[in-house]
mmCIF file of all heavy atoms in Angstrom:
data_model
loop_
_atom_site.group_PDB
_atom_site.id
_atom_site.type_symbol
_atom_site.label_atom_id
_atom_site.label_comp_id
_atom_site.label_asym_id
_atom_site.label_seq_id
_atom_site.Cartn_x
_atom_site.Cartn_y
_atom_site.Cartn_z
ATOM 1 N N MET A 25 66.412 122.469 93.499
ATOM 2 C CA MET A 25 65.061 122.777 93.992
ATOM 3 C C MET A 25 64.242 121.507 94.155
ATOM 4 O O MET A 25 63.624 121.279 95.182
ATOM 5 C CB MET A 25 64.371 123.755 93.045
ATOM 6 C CG MET A 25 62.947 124.099 93.436
ATOM 7 S SD MET A 25 61.689 122.866 92.971
ATOM 8 C CE MET A 25 61.411 123.273 91.262
ATOM 9 N N LEU A 37 60.432 127.495 98.539
ATOM 10 C CA LEU A 37 59.003 127.462 98.236
ATOM 11 C C LEU A 37 58.726 126.939 96.835
ATOM 12 O O LEU A 37 57.819 126.140 96.634
ATOM 13 C CB LEU A 37 58.410 128.856 98.403
ATOM 14 C CG LEU A 37 58.545 129.478 99.804
ATOM 15 C CD1 LEU A 37 57.824 130.814 99.836
ATOM 16 C CD2 LEU A 37 58.020 128.546 100.886
ATOM 17 N N ALA A 38 59.461 127.431 95.853
ATOM 18 C CA ALA A 38 59.332 126.959 94.475
ATOM 19 C C ALA A 38 57.900 127.038 93.966
ATOM 20 O O ALA A 38 57.338 126.055 93.469
ATOM 21 C CB ALA A 38 59.885 125.536 94.368
ATOM 22 N N GLU A 39 57.303 128.207 94.084
ATOM 23 C CA GLU A 39 55.887 128.365 93.765
ATOM 24 C C GLU A 39 55.541 128.095 92.311
ATOM 25 O O GLU A 39 54.415 127.715 91.999
ATOM 26 C CB GLU A 39 55.434 129.765 94.183
ATOM 27 C CG GLU A 39 55.369 129.902 95.703
ATOM 28 C CD GLU A 39 55.108 131.323 96.166
ATOM 29 O OE1 GLU A 39 55.167 132.273 95.357
ATOM 30 O OE2 GLU A 39 54.849 131.485 97.386
ATOM 31 N N CYS A 40 56.489 128.297 91.395
ATOM 32 C CA CYS A 40 56.186 128.072 89.972
ATOM 33 C C CYS A 40 56.547 126.656 89.528
ATOM 34 O O CYS A 40 56.386 126.324 88.347
ATOM 35 C CB CYS A 40 56.861 129.111 89.098
ATOM 36 S SG CYS A 40 58.624 128.824 88.850
ATOM 37 N N GLY A 41 57.042 125.868 90.431
ATOM 38 C CA GLY A 41 57.332 124.468 90.090
ATOM 39 C C GLY A 41 58.587 124.279 89.255
ATOM 40 O O GLY A 41 58.776 123.215 88.661
ATOM 41 N N GLY A 42 59.411 125.296 89.190
ATOM 42 C CA GLY A 42 60.690 125.140 88.476
ATOM 43 C C GLY A 42 60.721 125.769 87.099
ATOM 44 O O GLY A 42 61.598 125.456 86.305
ATOM 45 N N ASN A 43 59.801 126.668 86.827
ATOM 46 C CA ASN A 43 59.730 127.279 85.503
ATOM 47 C C ASN A 43 60.457 128.624 85.403
ATOM 48 O O ASN A 43 60.218 129.382 84.466
ATOM 49 C CB ASN A 43 58.271 127.455 85.082
ATOM 50 C CG ASN A 43 57.623 126.125 84.774
ATOM 51 O OD1 ASN A 43 58.194 125.309 84.052
ATOM 52 N ND2 ASN A 43 56.456 125.884 85.340
ATOM 53 N N CYS A 44 61.272 128.920 86.390
ATOM 54 C CA CYS A 44 62.061 130.153 86.362
ATOM 55 C C CYS A 44 61.156 131.384 86.319
ATOM 56 O O CYS A 44 61.467 132.383 85.706
ATOM 57 C CB CYS A 44 63.017 130.150 85.165
ATOM 58 S SG CYS A 44 64.389 131.283 85.344
ATOM 59 N N ALA A 45 60.002 131.286 86.980
ATOM 60 C CA ALA A 45 59.018 132.358 86.887
ATOM 61 C C ALA A 45 58.598 132.936 88.219
ATOM 62 O O ALA A 45 57.728 133.805 88.262
ATOM 63 C CB ALA A 45 57.768 131.813 86.166
ATOM 64 N N CYS A 46 59.166 132.471 89.326
ATOM 65 C CA CYS A 46 58.719 132.989 90.620
ATOM 66 C C CYS A 46 59.872 133.521 91.488
ATOM 67 O O CYS A 46 59.690 134.452 92.257
ATOM 68 C CB CYS A 46 57.953 131.914 91.396
ATOM 69 S SG CYS A 46 58.972 130.561 92.030
ATOM 70 N N GLY A 47 60.998 132.914 91.401
ATOM 71 C CA GLY A 47 62.151 133.349 92.203
ATOM 72 C C GLY A 47 62.063 132.967 93.661
ATOM 73 O O GLY A 47 62.828 133.485 94.480
ATOM 74 N N THR A 48 61.173 132.052 94.013
ATOM 75 C CA THR A 48 61.032 131.659 95.416
ATOM 76 C C THR A 48 61.830 130.391 95.731
ATOM 77 O O THR A 48 61.486 129.635 96.647
ATOM 78 C CB THR A 48 59.560 131.460 95.802
ATOM 79 O OG1 THR A 48 59.007 130.375 95.034
ATOM 80 C CG2 THR A 48 58.763 132.725 95.573
ATOM 81 N N CYS A 49 62.879 130.200 95.008
ATOM 82 C CA CYS A 49 63.755 129.026 95.231
ATOM 83 C C CYS A 49 65.205 129.481 95.330
ATOM 84 O O CYS A 49 66.111 128.717 95.040
ATOM 85 C CB CYS A 49 63.585 128.039 94.077
ATOM 86 S SG CYS A 49 64.098 128.717 92.481
ATOM 87 N N ARG A 50 65.407 130.707 95.791
ATOM 88 C CA ARG A 50 66.769 131.272 95.791
ATOM 89 C C ARG A 50 67.660 130.588 96.830
ATOM 90 O O ARG A 50 67.221 130.259 97.908
ATOM 91 C CB ARG A 50 66.718 132.787 96.044
ATOM 92 C CG ARG A 50 65.860 133.500 95.022
ATOM 93 C CD ARG A 50 65.907 135.025 95.134
ATOM 94 N NE ARG A 50 65.624 135.564 96.431
ATOM 95 C CZ ARG A 50 64.384 135.650 96.987
ATOM 96 N NH1 ARG A 50 63.325 135.166 96.354
ATOM 97 N NH2 ARG A 50 64.211 136.205 98.167
ATOM 98 N N MET A 71 65.102 137.213 86.599
ATOM 99 C CA MET A 71 64.354 136.921 87.838
ATOM 100 C C MET A 71 65.172 137.325 89.067
ATOM 101 O O MET A 71 64.631 137.890 90.025
ATOM 102 C CB MET A 71 63.999 135.434 87.872
ATOM 103 C CG MET A 71 63.090 135.024 89.013
ATOM 104 S SD MET A 71 61.529 135.946 89.102
ATOM 105 C CE MET A 71 60.772 135.509 87.537
ATOM 106 N N LEU A 84 68.916 130.596 91.295
ATOM 107 C CA LEU A 84 67.610 129.951 91.469
ATOM 108 C C LEU A 84 67.871 128.452 91.489
ATOM 109 O O LEU A 84 68.413 127.898 90.534
ATOM 110 C CB LEU A 84 66.674 130.313 90.306
ATOM 111 C CG LEU A 84 66.331 131.781 90.129
ATOM 112 C CD1 LEU A 84 65.397 131.952 88.928
ATOM 113 C CD2 LEU A 84 65.713 132.370 91.382
ATOM 114 N N SER A 85 67.482 127.810 92.568
ATOM 115 C CA SER A 85 67.838 126.397 92.708
ATOM 116 C C SER A 85 67.143 125.518 91.676
ATOM 117 O O SER A 85 67.587 124.401 91.420
ATOM 118 C CB SER A 85 67.541 125.918 94.129
ATOM 119 O OG SER A 85 66.187 126.046 94.461
ATOM 120 N N CYS A 86 66.073 126.017 91.076
ATOM 121 C CA CYS A 86 65.395 125.210 90.049
ATOM 122 C C CYS A 86 66.182 125.160 88.752
ATOM 123 O O CYS A 86 65.892 124.342 87.883
ATOM 124 C CB CYS A 86 63.992 125.727 89.789
ATOM 125 S SG CYS A 86 63.899 127.345 88.990
ATOM 126 N N GLN A 87 67.178 126.008 88.646
ATOM 127 C CA GLN A 87 67.949 126.106 87.390
ATOM 128 C C GLN A 87 69.310 125.410 87.486
ATOM 129 O O GLN A 87 70.120 125.499 86.566
ATOM 130 C CB GLN A 87 68.128 127.574 86.986
ATOM 131 C CG GLN A 87 66.821 128.300 86.785
ATOM 132 C CD GLN A 87 65.978 127.681 85.681
ATOM 133 O OE1 GLN A 87 66.414 127.588 84.541
ATOM 134 N NE2 GLN A 87 64.765 127.230 86.027
HETATM 135 S S1 LIG B 201 60.825 127.429 91.324
HETATM 136 FE FE1 LIG B 201 60.072 129.266 90.527
HETATM 137 S S2 LIG B 201 61.867 130.254 89.851
HETATM 138 FE FE2 LIG B 201 62.613 128.418 90.726
#
Side-chain angles (χ1 to χ4, degrees):
M25 178 279 279
L37 301 184
E39 289 172 349
C40 77
N43 289 313
C44 200
C46 71
T48 63
C49 63
R50 303 186 307 284
M71 187 55 63
L84 298 180
S85 61
C86 67
Q87 301 299 301

